[in-house]
Amino acid sequence: MVQEFIARMNSCGGLWNLVEVYWTQFQPLFVNESKKLTQNCVQQLFNIEWSPTGSNNKDQEEATIYLWEGWLMEIQEAGTDISFEDLLVFVTGADHIPPLGFPHPCTITFYDQEPGSRRIPYASTCSLTISLPRGVEEEQEFNDLMNTARKGSLGFGKV
């Protein structure tokens, strides 16, 4: 089986011969070396879909991102029982970043908190999107919403 694998790899322009010569560059493709995620790594995964500049929504979204970054910092400092890997599972369904990365960047979108109701953040693992609430002003309230959302998501079909 191994010889067949090597022969088929070499049938693609001598790919296996390249792997043997430049094995250190190919190592992440063949060996799972998932490293512990950091706050910086998680922040770089996301693109933010902002409202137009100057709008009330944009101001509220900037406040939400400030709280989001504070929550990520709390995770980094082990101030919560949620890990970055847990967050990644919540948003993408994967517990580590694939060797070649995700097919497209993860996205942060926003929704409005309606007066008198409490909607928790939600994610779509298919589109790699997390939706965060606009208009949350208190750090503890935002942290509670995020922790409730993450802890309440037990996986597909387990609600």
Side-chain angles (χ1 to χ4, degrees):
M1 291 175 76
V2 172
Q3 293 305 321
E4 184 178 336
F5 175 76
I6 291 171
R8 290 188 186 266
M9 290 283 286
N10 275 330
S11 71
C12 298
L15 183 58
W16 186 255
N17 293 335
L18 287 172
V19 170
E20 286 183 315
V21 173
Y22 301 105
W23 66 271
T24 55
Q25 285 80 11
F26 284 95
Q27 188 174 1
L29 294 175
F30 294 103
V31 179
N32 183 4
E33 293 181 338
S34 57
K35 297 175 183 159
K36 188 142 178 73
L37 294 173
T38 64
Q39 178 182 356
N40 190 36
C41 182
V42 170
Q43 286 176 307
Q44 290 177 358
L45 284 175
F46 289 93
N47 286 340
I48 303 171
E49 288 186 5
W50 298 105
S51 293
T53 302
S55 67
N56 290 338
N57 282 347
K58 175 79 182 263
D59 293 341
Q60 291 177 339
E61 291 164 3
E62 287 175 347
T64 297
I65 292 301
Y66 177 78
L67 295 172
W68 163 262
E69 290 173 351
W71 185 67
L72 293 178
M73 188 177 303
E74 187 175 322
I75 294 171
Q76 179 76 30
E77 296 170 354
T80 181
D81 60 347
I82 294 176
S83 68
F84 290 127
E85 288 76 15
D86 292 333
L87 175 60
L88 193 64
V89 169
F90 179 64
V91 177
T92 69
D95 62 354
H96 63 277
I97 299 171
L100 297 177
F102 292 107
H104 55 82
C106 299
T107 305
I108 295 176
T109 62
F110 301 92
Y111 63 89
D112 291 318
Q113 280 288 42
E114 298 170 10
S117 67
R118 182 176 188 247
R119 291 178 53 202
I120 60 173
Y122 56 94
S124 169
T125 57
C126 296
S127 64
L128 307 178
T129 301
I130 184 169
S131 295
L132 302 177
R134 283 186 202 98
V136 176
E137 297 175 6
E138 298 295 324
E139 180 180 0
Q140 188 58 49
E141 181 183 358
F142 181 83
N143 292 355
D144 289 345
L145 286 170
M146 292 302 299
N147 292 332
T148 300
R150 173 52 198 109
K151 289 177 184 176
S153 67
L154 301 174
F156 292 116
K158 297 182 181 177
V159 176

